């Protein structure tokens, strides 16, 4: 690969205490792959991998913003060291568009660090290694610090390195190994001009775990030994680092580190804490309280508390099991300096990357709808800035954002507090995708069904959230009907707005549609705004409030009911008085009212007209009319069945008076007159025969009636006289076996009755014509009720 000039802004580096820090700009690595190589002054570039990193004091990770971070100890394997004060390290940054790293561009980047304020012992607890360095002097052979001796010193160190050995103490026992063997186990040991250092991975076979003040510590207890003839140098290179100590609440992160670590402070009574610093990334925070950080310490603990979302860290949106939430990350370091009798000064540095567990943050839908503007205004949030709205569905109809804008929906972002944002959606009530439901008396419930699709984080994970927003406003005007009448009809004019959409018209409990109107004899006509109903006076559904001689007060009611709930909102009525000379009204309770007009020549006396039961006389009358009111169970009314109808029949009659004589009846000018009255009721409907608390005339008519006038002048009627007539009821059609007289006979409806009538009179001038035959409940054949068997033969 070729060498190139590093693009501006691609690399930043610093030297914090005794650590190189390098950051790469992720924006310049988008869609690219990269590798780091460490430039060894003698062996050339060496590819950085995990094993090399932990052994040689390197860390490759990301900061909370996603930028690659490289850290290196100044005592790293490939760091050039000048007198333990000036340090340099060169790395190669290889960038390629291919995962195989072919055609890679290589940028060479040198870093420099100056550090001279070494403590007697320095310990670094990094993410992937523990490092302890101890100030010591390689044994000198002369006190004459001549130029020759100084130039020979590196060679002396080289030889000395070959003679160092390490002794580890662990629960499994003591182990003494050479430096080269330690390297094979992942350790790194060396000495510089004035220091000896040991670097160890976490959780090695030679390490041990202990709990110090509630914090788990990983430690390597070791002694570095230098043996040369008569000289034996022993150096304590024990190191101990925390592996946990992090706790979370809904609002804070707490990081706890022990103040005193027994394996590092043998004489605790001489321990004295000198200085405690905290930092974020590679920067020391001088006044933590200004950033709402809390740094506390006592005899046992050092505790750092960070509010979740605080400056220096990063909140990141995330999706877990289809739930939206956030994760907060922050990179902290703690530097504790203390003294004790054994070590004079110890500088203890811990670098910790902390990430909270997934914290669900269920988005909220805020209804800012403006009813007076007939506009849904819905805010959807709160989201971090790494979230974007990519699509919506209204009423289960999907829209891209561009399609939604073209349709007329307004969608825009709005900032919220705490560095969050939301999305505003505006939809008109009148949009066809808004659900509309008629509720209460005059209100409409508008329902907006929204499904949001948002893209979360740099991974662009899709998250879906549905919401339902309702608004009820009084925007419906109930219709008002107008009624009027002419000589024969009642009329209702009703606005057609909302008809069949919000409400329907009902006649009693029956939906009033065109079929019912036609069946009942109504005429229905519509124009652009109204429905006009014409109801004949004697049509089904007309209520007769007052019925008197030659006068009817009639009313017609229809109910306005909701389409869905059948709730009655109001009644439309028209009421008028009519003059009528002849009519028959059949009420549902079985009451029959008749105004009969009888035109005979010569005229008859209307006061003497009767029903079949001669005791049933007119309630009112004049010269040409008679008004009767009776019940179907009285006045000799008969019943029969035809098809799906029950027919109740009676007759109004007037019989001329005759006087019995010796031979021929007295001649009179009075005409013989009869008027048959019929009321029809459907058999599938119930006829109420009980008494009404109110006037039954106010009940809606139930049956239909007719009157058939028949004159019997042509029929020669004999003077009534007693005849010897015997009737019997046969048990079957054979007429061989008969019921005993005065015996109750039980018959079902429509079951035939076999009746035999015999004339016993022996007079040759008498013949038997069976004209009317009926059954009564008593021996009095004039009693009521009665049931006709034959009528007019």
């Amino acid at each position: 690969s070729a060498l190139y000039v590093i693009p501006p802004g691609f690399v930043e580096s610093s030297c914090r205490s005794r650590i190189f820090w390098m950051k790469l700009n992720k924006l310049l690595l988008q869609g690219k792959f990269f590798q780091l190589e460490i430039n060894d002054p003698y062996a050339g570039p060496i590819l950085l991998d995990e094993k090399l990193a932990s052994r040689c004091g390197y860390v490759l990770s990301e900061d909370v913003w996603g930028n690659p971070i490289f850290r290196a100890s100044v005592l790293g394997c490939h760091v050039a060291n000048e007198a333990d004060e000036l340090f340099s390290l060169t790395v190669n940054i290889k960038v390629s568009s291919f995962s195989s790293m072919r055609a890679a561009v290589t940028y060479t980047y040198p870093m420099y660090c100056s550090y001279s304020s070494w403590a007697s012992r320095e310990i670094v607890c990094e993410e992937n290694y523990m490092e302890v360095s101890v100030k010591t002097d390689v044994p000198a052979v002369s006190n004459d610090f001549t130029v020759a001796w100084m130039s020979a010193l590196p060679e002396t160190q080289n030889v000395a390195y070959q003679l160092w050995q390490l002794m580890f103490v662990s629960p499994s026992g003591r182990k003494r190994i050479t430096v080269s063997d330690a390297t094979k186990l992942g350790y790194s040991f060396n000495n510089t001009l004035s220091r000896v250092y040991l670097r160890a991975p976490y959780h090695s076979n030679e390490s041990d775990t202990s709990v110090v003040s509630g914090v788990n510590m990983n430690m390597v207890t070791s002694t570095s030994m230098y043996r040369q003839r008569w000289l034996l140098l022993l150096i304590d290179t024990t190191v101990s680092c925390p592996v946990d100590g992090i706790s979370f609440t809904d609002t804070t992160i707490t990081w706890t580190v022990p103040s005193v670590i027994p394996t590092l402070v043998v004489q605790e009574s001489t321990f004295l804490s000198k200085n405690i610093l905290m930092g974020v990334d590679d920067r020391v925070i001088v006044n933590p309280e200004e950033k709402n950080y809390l740094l506390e310490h006592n005899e046992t603990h050092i505790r750092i508390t960070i509010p979740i979302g605080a400056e220096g860290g990063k909140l990141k949106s995330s999706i877990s099991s289809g739930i939206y939430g956030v994760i907060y990350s922050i990179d902290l370091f703690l530097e504790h300096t203390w003294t004790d009798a054994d070590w004079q000064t110890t500088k203890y540095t811990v670098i910790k990357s902390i990430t909270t567990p997934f914290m669900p943050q269920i988005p909220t839908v805020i209804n800012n709808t403006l009813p007076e503007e007939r506009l849904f205004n819905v805010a959807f949030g709160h989201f971090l800035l790494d979230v974007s709205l990519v699509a919506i569905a209204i009423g289960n109809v999907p829209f891209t954002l561009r399609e939604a804008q073209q349709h007329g929906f307004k969608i825009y972002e709005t900032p919220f507090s705490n560095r969050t944002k939301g999305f505003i959606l505006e939809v008109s009530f009148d949009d066809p995708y808004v659900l509309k439901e008629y509720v209460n008396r005059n209100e409409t419930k508008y329902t907006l069904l929204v499904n949001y699709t948002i893209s979360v984080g740099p991974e662009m994970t899709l998250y879906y959230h549905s919401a339902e927003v309702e608004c009820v406003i009084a925007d419906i005007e109930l219709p008002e009907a107008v009624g009027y009448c002419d000589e024969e009809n009642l009329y209702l004019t009703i606005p057609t707005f909302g008809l069949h959409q919000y409400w329907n018209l009902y006649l009693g409990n029956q939906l009033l549609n065109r079929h019912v109107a036609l069946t009942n004899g109504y005429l229905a006509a519509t124009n652009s705004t109204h429905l006009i109903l014409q109801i004949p006076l004697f049509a089904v559904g007309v209520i007769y409030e007052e019925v008197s001689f030659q006068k009817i007060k009639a009313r017609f009611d229809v109910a306005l009911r909701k389409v869905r709930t059948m709730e009655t909102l109001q009644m439309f009525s028209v009421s008028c008085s009519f003059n009528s000379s002849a009519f028959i009204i059949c009420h549902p309770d079985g009451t029959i009212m008749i105004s009969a007009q009888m035109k005979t020549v010569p005229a008859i006396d209307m006061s003497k007209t009767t029903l079949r039961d001669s005791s049933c006389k007119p309630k009112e009358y004049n010269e040409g009319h008679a008004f009767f009111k009776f019940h179907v169970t009285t006045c000799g009314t008969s019943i029969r069945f035809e098809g799906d109808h029950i027919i109740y029949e009676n007759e109004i009659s007037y019989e001329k008076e005759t006087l019995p004589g010796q031979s021929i009846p007295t001649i009179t000018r009075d005409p013989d007159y009869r008027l048959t009255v019929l009321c029809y009721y459907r058999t599938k409907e119930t006829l109420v025969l009980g008494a009404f608390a109110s006037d039954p005339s106010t009940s809606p008519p139930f049956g239909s009636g007719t009157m058939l006038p028949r004159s019997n002048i042509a029929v020669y009627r004999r003077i009534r006289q007693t005849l010897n007539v015997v009737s019997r009821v046969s048990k079957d059609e054979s007429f061989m076996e008969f019921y005993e007289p005065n015996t109750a006979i039980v018959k079902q409806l429509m079951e035939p009755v076999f009746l035999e009538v015999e004339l016993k009179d022996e007079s040759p001038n008498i013949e038997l014509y069976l004209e009317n035959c009926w059954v009564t409940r008593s021996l009095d054949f004039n009693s009521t009720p009665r049931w006709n068997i034959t009528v007019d033969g």
Side-chain angles (χ1 to χ4, degrees):
S1 60
L3 297 175
Y4 289 84
V5 177
I6 296 177
F10 180 40
V11 184
E12 295 180 19
S13 65
S14 65
C15 177
R16 163 63 201 148
S17 185
R18 48 188 297 283
I19 295 177
F20 292 102
W21 295 67
M22 182 181 76
K23 179 173 73 173
L24 304 182
N25 189 337
K26 68 174 183 179
L27 297 178
L28 298 178
L29 288 172
Q30 285 185 348
K32 303 291 182 67
F33 300 89
F34 81 96
Q35 289 178 343
L36 291 186
E37 292 178 337
I38 307 300
N39 264 335
D40 187 299
Y42 306 104
I46 301 173
L47 182 65
L48 178 63
D49 57 25
E50 290 185 8
K51 188 174 182 181
L52 178 70
S54 63
R55 184 174 62 83
C56 286
Y58 307 138
V59 174
L60 180 61
S61 63
E62 286 186 353
D63 66 9
V64 297
W65 310 103
N67 298 300
I69 296 292
F70 172 73
R71 290 193 299 271
S73 168
V74 295
L75 300 177
C77 298
H78 310 95
V79 175
N81 181 344
E82 296 183 25
D84 285 340
E85 292 184 358
L86 297 175
F87 307 90
S88 62
L89 177 67
T90 301
V91 297
N92 291 335
I93 307 165
K94 300 181 69 175
V95 180
S96 173
S97 298
F98 307 97
S99 59
S100 64
M101 299 304 296
R102 63 185 177 88
V105 174
T106 301
Y107 304 104
T108 298
Y109 188 78
M111 293 183 287
Y112 303 94
C113 195
S114 174
Y115 185 67
S116 57
S117 57
W118 288 95
S120 300
R121 179 175 60 176
E122 296 205 0
I123 295 175
V124 174
C125 301
E126 255 288 8
E127 292 183 26
N128 59 342
Y129 67 85
M130 302 180 287
E131 181 184 273
V132 56
S133 72
V134 178
K135 186 175 183 179
T136 185
D137 292 322
V138 174
V141 294
S142 170
N143 288 329
D144 184 12
F145 293 94
T146 62
V147 173
W149 180 85
M150 292 297 292
S151 63
L153 188 58
E155 291 299 319
T156 305
Q157 289 183 232
N158 237 4
V159 173
Y161 174 76
Q162 302 298 324
L163 302 178
W164 284 99
Q165 286 187 323
L166 300 175
M167 184 175 69
F168 295 100
V169 179
S170 65
S172 60
R174 296 174 179 268
K175 179 190 293 185
R176 190 172 69 176
I177 58 176
T178 64
V179 171
S180 58
D181 288 338
T183 301
K184 296 175 184 178
L185 296 177
Y187 295 93
S188 180
F189 177 86
N190 211 335
N191 68 303
T192 66
L193 182 65
S194 59
R195 306 188 72 80
V196 169
Y197 65 85
L198 172 70
R199 198 159 33 245
Y202 285 95
H203 307 294
S204 65
N205 290 334
E206 294 73 32
S207 68
D208 190 15
T209 299
S210 64
V211 178
V212 179
S213 299
V215 178
N216 285 314
M217 307 290 291
N218 189 238
M219 61 182 178
V220 174
T221 303
S222 65
T223 302
S224 302
M225 299 180 296
Y226 175 81
R227 187 184 301 274
Q228 187 179 25
R229 293 182 185 176
W230 46 265
L231 177 66
L232 177 63
L233 179 65
L234 302 178
I235 300 176
D236 185 359
T237 48
T238 295
V239 62
S240 181
C241 288
V243 293
D244 56 17
I246 307 297
S247 61
F248 305 97
T249 69
D250 290 340
T251 56
T252 60
I253 296 171
T254 301
W255 179 27
T256 302
V257 176
S259 294
V260 181
I261 304 169
T263 54
L264 302 181
V265 182
V266 178
Q267 300 182 57
E268 291 189 29
S269 61
T270 65
F271 173 85
L272 180 63
S273 177
K274 303 293 288 185
N275 189 37
I276 299 175
L277 293 176
M278 70 162 289
V280 176
D281 297 327
D282 59 346
R283 302 180 308 278
V284 174
I285 306 299
V286 179
N287 298 307
E289 64 278 359
E290 292 181 358
K291 298 183 180 296
N292 293 321
Y293 304 157
L294 182 62
L295 175 60
E296 305 172 289
H297 63 92
N298 56 29
E299 293 180 356
T300 59
H301 295 89
I302 301 171
R303 182 173 288 116
I304 297 174
T305 302
I306 307 291
I308 291 177
E311 180 184 349
K314 183 186 179 184
L315 278 168
K316 174 187 174 184
S317 298
S318 182
I319 302 296
S320 177
S321 301
I323 298 174
Y324 173 79
V326 298
I327 295 171
Y328 178 71
S329 300
I330 190 168
D331 294 331
L332 300 176
F333 71 82
L334 174 70
E335 189 175 279
H336 185 197
T337 304
W338 72 77
T339 62
D340 63 84
D342 294 309
W343 286 100
Q344 295 182 359
T345 303
T346 298
K347 182 184 287 185
Y348 187 81
T349 302
V350 185
I351 299 174
K352 197 75 170 178
S353 293
I354 302 173
T355 298
T356 66
F358 176 79
M359 297 177 289
Q361 301 279 326
I362 305 301
T364 57
V365 175
I366 306 168
N367 186 2
N368 298 319
T369 294
L370 305 171
E372 62 278 3
E373 297 183 16
R374 298 180 62 81
L375 185 70
F376 281 110
N377 183 295
V378 182
F380 180 46
H382 295 61
F383 293 105
L384 300 180
L385 301 182
D386 58 357
V387 168
S388 59
L389 180 65
V390 295
I392 61 169
I394 304 293
N396 296 322
V397 178
F399 295 90
T400 65
L401 294 190
R402 175 174 292 183
E403 291 170 343
Q405 299 283 3
Q406 291 173 347
H407 179 80
F409 304 139
K410 288 186 178 180
I411 304 173
Y412 52 93
E413 287 189 5
T414 184
F416 289 145
S417 59
N418 299 327
R419 293 174 295 175
T420 61
K421 69 178 181 180
F423 306 101
I424 303 295
L425 171 65
E426 293 184 359
V427 179
S428 169
F429 285 0
D430 302 311
D431 190 274
Y433 296 114
V434 171
L435 303 180
K436 304 166 185 69
E437 180 185 359
Y438 171 56
V439 295
N440 304 324
R441 285 184 58 84
N442 62 337
E443 296 175 327
T444 304
K445 180 170 74 174
Y446 296 92
T447 303
L448 178 66
L449 300 177
V450 189
N451 283 287
Y452 296 92
T453 302
I454 63 174
S455 174
V456 177
E459 303 85 3
M460 302 180 71
T461 306
L462 294 183
Y463 168 72
Y464 306 94
H465 187 88
S466 60
E468 181 175 326
V469 182
E470 295 179 353
C471 184
V472 178
I473 59 174
D475 59 354
I476 294 178
E477 184 178 349
L478 290 179
E480 296 292 337
V482 176
Y484 56 93
C485 301
D486 61 17
E487 293 180 357
E488 298 178 348
N489 303 281
L490 300 93
Y491 295 87
L492 270 176
T493 302
I494 304 168
T496 54
F497 169 76
L499 206 55
H500 310 307
Q501 179 185 2
Y502 301 137
W503 42 67
N504 281 319
L505 298 176
Y506 277 80
L507 182 63
N509 289 322
Q510 187 178 30
L511 176 66
L512 182 55
N513 52 30
R514 288 194 173 274
H515 174 72
V516 172
L518 290 172
T519 302
N520 291 352
Y522 309 156
L523 290 178
T526 56
N527 56 28
S528 59
T529 59
H530 287 79
L531 166 69
I532 303 168
L533 280 176
Q534 175 186 309
I535 306 99
L537 173 60
F538 294 108
V540 175
V542 176
I543 301 167
Y544 303 100
E545 298 178 302
E546 295 180 20
V547 180
S548 61
F549 191 48
Q550 293 187 317
K551 181 180 179 182
I552 300 175
K553 185 178 180 182
R555 189 181 84 241
F556 183 75
D557 296 336
V558 290
L560 188 72
R561 293 186 179 181
K562 287 185 179 180
V563 170
R564 291 185 61 186
T565 65
M566 298 283 290
E567 176 189 349
T568 299
L569 298 172
Q570 57 190 27
M571 298 292 296
F572 297 143
S573 297
V574 55
S575 179
C576 297
S577 295
F578 295 86
N579 295 320
S580 181
S581 59
F583 59 82
I584 177 171
I585 298 173
C586 306
H587 276 279
D589 67 338
T591 301
I592 299 175
M593 290 180 285
I594 307 165
S595 178
Q597 184 179 20
M598 301 183 181
K599 295 182 179 180
T600 61
V601 179
I604 59 177
D605 184 356
M606 287 298 180
S607 67
K608 295 180 180 180
T609 56
T610 65
L611 297 174
R612 282 177 177 163
D613 185 343
S614 59
S615 64
C616 295
K617 298 182 178 296
K619 304 291 184 183
E620 298 179 68
Y621 57 88
N622 63 13
E623 292 181 358
H625 293 81
F627 176 70
F628 292 87
K629 181 178 179 181
F630 60 97
H631 195 268
V632 294
T633 60
T634 63
C635 298
T637 307
S638 62
I639 181 174
R640 71 174 186 270
F641 295 87
E642 285 188 9
D644 59 351
H645 283 81
I646 301 174
I647 303 174
Y648 291 92
E649 181 178 333
N650 209 317
E651 65 182 16
I652 303 170
S653 64
Y654 173 83
E655 292 192 2
K656 56 191 175 182
E657 293 183 352
T658 58
L659 297 175
Q662 298 299 320
S663 56
I664 302 174
T666 303
I667 298 174
T668 175
R669 294 181 66 250
D670 291 341
D672 190 6
Y673 188 90
R674 289 191 299 168
L675 182 67
T676 300
V677 178
L678 301 173
C679 269
Y680 297 81
Y681 293 91
R682 295 183 64 87
T683 54
K684 293 181 181 179
E685 296 174 353
T686 303
L687 178 64
V688 181
L689 297 178
F692 276 76
S694 59
D695 186 350
S697 65
T698 62
S699 302
F702 188 84
S704 59
T706 184
M707 294 181 286
L708 303 173
R710 292 181 295 169
S711 176
N712 290 330
I713 297 175
V715 179
Y716 177 74
R717 308 193 69 183
R718 299 176 181 272
I719 298 175
R720 292 176 181 167
Q721 52 185 314
T722 302
L723 298 175
N724 187 8
V725 177
V726 177
S727 63
R728 295 184 299 175
V729 179
S730 174
K731 292 184 177 181
D732 55 34
E733 66 269 22
S734 67
F735 290 92
M736 298 296 293
E737 187 177 357
F738 296 88
Y739 290 103
E740 292 296 326
N742 301 323
T743 300
I745 302 172
V746 179
K747 291 288 184 179
Q748 300 294 326
L749 286 176
M750 309 304 294
E751 185 178 350
V753 177
F754 303 99
L755 181 65
E756 177 186 274
V757 181
E758 182 181 1
L759 177 62
K760 297 290 188 179
D761 199 314
E762 297 180 354
S763 173
N765 297 324
I766 297 176
E767 295 178 354
L768 177 62
Y769 292 93
L770 192 60
E771 183 181 33
N772 295 312
C773 183
W774 64 91
V775 178
T776 64
R777 288 180 176 176
S778 68
L779 296 177
D780 181 5
F781 61 84
N782 287 321
S783 66
T784 57
R786 76 177 190 180
W787 292 269
N788 288 342
I789 296 176
T790 62
V791 178
D792 289 342

